[in-house]
Amino acid sequence: MSSDSYTNGGLKGVGNLGLTGLENLGNTCFMNSAIQCLAHTPKLVDYFLGDYMREINHHNPLGMDGEIALAFGDLLRKLWSPDRTPVSPRFFKAKLARFAPQFSGFNQHDSQEFLAFLLDGLHEDLNRVKCKPYFEAKDACGRPDEEVADEYWKNHLARNDSIIVDICQGQYRSTLVCPVCNKVSVTFDPFMYLSLPLPSTTMRSMTVTVFSTDGSLRPTSYTVNVPKHGKSKDLIQALSNVCSLKDDESLLVAEVYSNCILRYLEDPSDSLSLIRDGDRLAAYRLSKDLEKLPLVVFMHQRMEEQGIHNKMLGQWKAFGVPLIARIPTTASGTTICSLFFKLLNPFVLPKDNEDGNLCDGASETDLSSNISDCEATINASLTGKLVEDALQFHVTDVKGQTTHAKIELNEPVSLAGYQKQLHVLVSWQDTALSNYDVCLLSSLPEIYKCSLFSKRPQDSASLYACLEAFLREEPLGPEDMWYCPSCKKHQQASKKLDLWRLPEVLVIHLKRFSYSRFMKNKLETFVDFPIHNLDLSNYIAHKSDQAYPYSLYAVSNHYGNMGGGHYTAYVYHEGQDCWYDFDDRHVASMTEDSIRTSAAYVLFYRRVQTKNLDKQVIS
């Protein structure tokens, strides 16, 4: 078939040509899926069915001496021949394995990774530039973005000129800002495809329990959504909103481990990525008026019997979540006891409310004026009996493992050496445990419990939401630091991407696969993507009177889990005006309503030409 069969790069009048399947050679469905999508890209088909061999660059050291281009061109011609017999891509697979050993053998691979290699390989094999000139990137130096972008694009085209660049490459603006000196670096880089994160990969759910420090509220657990690579300030802001934090209050977030406070998230720039799903966080509401006073941290232990050598022996064991309050700089044992009983108010069991609710009404903001009332209440109601028989207080270390001086009622407690925090270990006897809801005191959920969310309805997101997540400013990861030319050192800069030029064929990769040191995961998020009118006009930083409507023409799908599964392709055939499902050697028509599924992995869009649009967006 000649290129005369085409009308304006389309496939009008080609009948049922191009409806040929590909044999699976053994886990080669990843390759078959991507090839069918490219084999139905109109201008690419037109090119390879024409005299493309005259453009093969045999002198490009980055190319493969034209062998990948020749193998692909031969395969594409067979797919568009009148013979509908499924084609075996064995020769192409052999060439692929030769130049890309990672795809050798018969293991399952990633269709997007294969597609990236193939597009780059075709470009280098068909690069019309025989001798690439050298250009040194110039700093913007305050010049208009339009001027700098055109300079970058001109330099890029002087070294890269092929059918792939003509139809598949666009340009985005990358802005880096140093967090220390605020140095701004702006560059304009080409792209072959867009890899868009799914919203569930940019946000994470975190459950945190909020405690009052004046004994007025029961502890409440809140689940908030925060940026996955966000900072502690993002978590505190989200918690402040959901727990209706007052203007005169602040939140102190702490990581709790083994019934003691492991660390505080006091630095607003602390990274949330350091907090694992299995960790436990507590947040304490503190009065801003008392923020200069030191903290008292109460930790708990109870007597438990253990069988040792057929004898039952009692042993102290830590339990519960630490409770926090502000303490006056001059304090007595009674002061500390009164603060503790006030913190216990929310845990009092109804039947014993009179015994536990000792200092009800004394809020933390009234600490200085009401502390003497609390002391009087303890002395009058208990005369030290409850404290002696049911609760004992000792100064301890940060882990509550070493007991120091015992805290006695009516005796002063020295805060020397405890300018910021005083740690107190409270020993609970059974008589005290029976008066309080110890289960409530001990309940602190994990940051994220998978079983709690296993039955959630399927996640869904629009393609526009994925694009917005891609374009959102975010800090670079610790492993991807930027060298700041002003600071003369690597910094964790913030990065912002903006679309500047869009190609005629826009390839969009949905990042369904996530990797970490401990696990691999596939996201089954349903992405609602437009089929007929993907409008990107609002996402182009380079404003002009041009419109940017795109129409979907192919989808590479992945079904199943990591390391396996199966790939297929959905392709729109313009000659038949119908969508087809390409499943290796099997080809069957399908309805347009069936295209959108949670298996969609790589989307192929073609720029729709209108009367008011230039034919080439990237020129």
Side-chain angles (χ1 to χ4, degrees):
M1 185 180 68
S2 69
S3 59
D4 295 337
S5 302
Y6 295 83
T7 303
N8 295 328
L11 301 176
K12 296 292 188 182
V14 298
N16 60 3
L17 298 179
L19 298 178
T20 304
L22 285 165
E23 295 284 2
N24 192 321
L25 305 178
N27 284 326
T28 56
C29 57
F30 74 95
M31 182 179 74
N32 294 348
S33 172
I35 287 176
Q36 291 290 10
C37 293
L38 290 181
H40 290 83
T41 300
K43 286 199 172 180
L44 206 58
V45 176
D46 194 3
Y47 178 83
F48 277 99
L49 293 182
D51 187 16
Y52 74 94
M53 286 181 282
R54 61 185 175 85
E55 289 196 339
I56 290 180
N57 188 337
H58 296 282
H59 307 286
N60 187 356
L62 299 178
M64 287 156 276
D65 197 27
E67 292 191 40
I68 283 291
L70 287 169
F72 179 77
D74 178 68
L75 182 59
L76 187 143
R77 286 169 178 259
K78 291 178 180 178
L79 291 176
W80 280 91
S81 69
D83 185 3
R84 294 285 297 279
T85 304
V87 176
S88 172
R90 195 172 302 276
F91 178 75
F92 177 84
K93 175 71 165 57
K95 292 295 183 182
L96 176 68
R98 177 186 171 189
F99 294 104
Q102 66 268 31
F103 297 116
S104 62
F106 298 97
N107 293 326
Q108 184 67 279
H109 294 281
D110 189 305
S111 69
Q112 188 273 332
E113 291 180 0
F114 163 75
L115 180 69
F117 169 81
L118 181 57
L119 287 176
D120 187 64
L122 291 175
H123 158 64
E124 296 295 355
D125 270 1
L126 299 168
N127 197 343
R128 303 176 186 113
V129 179
K130 300 301 187 287
C131 182
K132 295 185 178 184
Y134 171 76
F135 296 98
E136 184 174 353
K138 298 180 181 178
D139 194 81
C141 296
R143 292 181 294 161
D145 281 346
E146 291 77 8
E147 178 183 337
V148 180
D150 288 345
E151 180 181 277
Y152 270 84
W153 190 247
K154 180 181 177 181
N155 292 344
H156 174 67
L157 294 182
R159 295 171 54 85
N160 303 275
D161 182 15
S162 70
I163 180 63
I164 303 301
V165 174
D166 291 345
I167 65 175
C168 293
Q169 285 198 353
Q171 186 184 37
Y172 60 76
R173 179 178 63 189
S174 176
T175 305
L176 290 167
V177 180
C178 177
V180 177
C181 68
N182 293 321
K183 165 70 177 178
V184 178
S185 173
V186 179
T187 58
F188 292 85
D189 304 303
F191 67 83
M192 193 91 74
Y193 51 85
L194 298 178
S195 288
L196 305 188
L198 305 187
S200 51
T201 65
T202 62
M203 304 294 287
R204 67 183 293 198
S205 296
M206 300 183 71
T207 299
V208 183
T209 303
V210 179
F211 292 80
S212 68
T213 56
D214 61 5
S216 62
L217 300 171
R218 291 169 65 89
T220 304
S221 296
Y222 299 94
T223 299
V224 295
N225 290 321
V226 293
K228 192 171 185 178
H229 300 289
K231 306 297 183 182
S232 63
K233 63 180 181 181
D234 300 313
L235 176 61
I236 292 173
Q237 182 60 54
L239 283 174
S240 301
N241 293 336
V242 296
C243 75
S244 301
L245 195 72
K246 299 176 183 177
D247 292 338
D248 61 351
E249 290 180 314
S250 62
L251 279 180
L252 177 63
V253 180
E255 182 180 344
V256 177
Y257 180 75
S258 294
N259 308 107
C260 65
I261 292 177
L262 182 65
R263 66 186 180 103
Y264 296 97
L265 276 68
E266 294 181 284
D267 189 341
S269 63
D270 283 342
S271 175
L272 296 181
S273 61
L274 300 177
I275 302 173
R276 299 169 298 181
D277 286 347
D279 293 340
R280 289 174 165 85
L281 294 183
Y284 301 91
R285 304 175 70 133
L286 294 168
S287 171
K288 291 181 179 179
D289 295 336
L290 303 174
E291 60 185 10
K292 293 184 179 181
L293 296 180
L295 290 175
V296 56
V297 181
F298 293 100
M299 290 171 280
H300 321 277
Q301 65 176 5
R302 59 192 297 181
M303 183 65 69
E304 290 190 358
E305 290 188 344
Q306 292 185 345
I308 302 177
H309 302 300
N310 297 323
K311 294 182 179 180
M312 299 303 293
L313 301 177
Q315 184 174 357
W316 290 105
K317 186 175 181 180
F319 78 97
V321 184
L323 299 177
I324 287 179
R326 295 287 185 186
I327 185 173
T329 51
T330 56
S332 66
T334 305
T335 305
I336 292 175
C337 292
S338 67
L339 284 175
F340 184 68
F341 282 121
K342 183 165 55 174
L343 294 176
L344 289 183
N345 277 338
F347 306 96
V348 176
L349 293 173
K351 63 179 181 179
D352 295 324
N353 190 58
E354 293 180 356
D355 293 334
N357 199 6
L358 296 176
C359 299
D360 192 18
S363 67
E364 186 182 1
T365 53
D366 299 326
L367 181 61
S368 58
S369 60
N370 288 309
I371 195 68
S372 58
D373 296 337
C374 289
E375 294 175 0
T377 303
I378 290 178
N379 289 329
S381 302
L382 301 174
T383 62
K385 191 67 177 172
L386 176 59
V387 175
E388 284 293 328
D389 293 347
L391 296 169
Q392 293 184 10
F393 299 81
H394 290 83
V395 178
T396 185
D397 58 8
V398 294
K399 294 184 178 180
Q401 295 178 348
T402 304
T403 55
H404 301 302
K406 182 180 179 181
I407 297 176
E408 303 286 357
L409 293 178
N410 298 320
E411 291 188 8
V413 176
S414 174
L415 296 182
Y418 304 104
Q419 289 83 0
K420 292 186 177 181
Q421 293 180 19
L422 174 68
H423 294 86
V424 176
L425 183 62
V426 183
S427 301
W428 291 64
Q429 303 289 350
D430 290 342
T431 51
L433 291 171
S434 62
N435 292 329
Y436 297 93
D437 186 352
V438 181
C439 292
L440 179 62
L441 180 62
S442 301
S443 61
L444 195 61
E446 295 180 4
I447 292 294
Y448 180 86
K449 192 73 172 179
C450 295
S451 60
L452 297 178
F453 302 95
S454 59
K455 296 185 178 180
R456 289 184 304 180
Q458 184 186 36
D459 289 339
S460 62
S462 71
L463 185 62
Y464 293 111
C466 298
L467 183 60
E468 288 164 5
F470 173 74
L471 299 176
R472 187 178 299 126
E473 181 179 356
E474 61 180 16
L476 296 174
E479 71 288 345
D480 194 24
M481 306 277 272
W482 172 63
Y483 183 80
C484 175
S486 179
C487 296
K488 305 296 183 184
K489 62 185 297 187
H490 287 88
Q491 303 286 9
Q492 193 171 2
S494 61
K495 184 176 183 178
K496 175 75 169 69
L497 294 178
D498 294 291
L499 299 179
W500 193 263
R501 280 181 170 88
L502 289 178
E504 183 172 342
V505 171
L506 180 63
V507 181
I508 297 178
H509 164 226
L510 302 176
K511 298 173 70 173
R512 293 198 176 276
F513 301 119
S514 61
Y515 306 86
S516 70
R517 261 191 328 174
F518 307 104
M519 62 183 297
K520 299 177 181 179
N521 185 40
K522 181 193 174 185
L523 297 169
E524 298 288 351
T525 304
F526 174 80
V527 177
D528 185 9
F529 49 86
I531 295 177
H532 294 294
N533 186 26
L534 174 65
D535 186 4
L536 299 180
S537 302
N538 294 330
Y539 300 95
I540 300 296
H542 182 204
K543 299 302 180 182
S544 66
D545 57 356
Q546 290 184 330
Y548 296 92
Y550 283 85
S551 179
L552 185 76
Y553 70 89
V555 182
S556 176
N557 302 297
H558 179 270
Y559 299 90
N561 53 23
M562 291 284 297
H566 183 61
Y567 288 92
T568 68
Y570 295 159
V571 171
Y572 175 70
H573 192 282
E574 191 167 341
Q576 295 288 323
D577 190 22
C578 179
W579 281 87
Y580 284 86
D581 179 6
F582 286 78
D583 187 353
D584 289 332
R585 73 192 318 270
H586 303 287
V587 180
S589 62
M590 61 182 298
T591 62
E592 189 176 281
D593 295 338
S594 306
I595 296 169
R596 295 188 187 93
T597 72
S598 58
Y601 183 42
V602 184
L603 308 175
F604 293 76
Y605 281 93
R606 182 177 58 175
R607 172 91 177 270
V608 178
Q609 300 293 342
T610 64
K611 294 181 180 179
N612 297 326
L613 293 176
D614 296 331
K615 290 186 178 182
Q616 292 292 332
V617 182
I618 61 174
S619 60

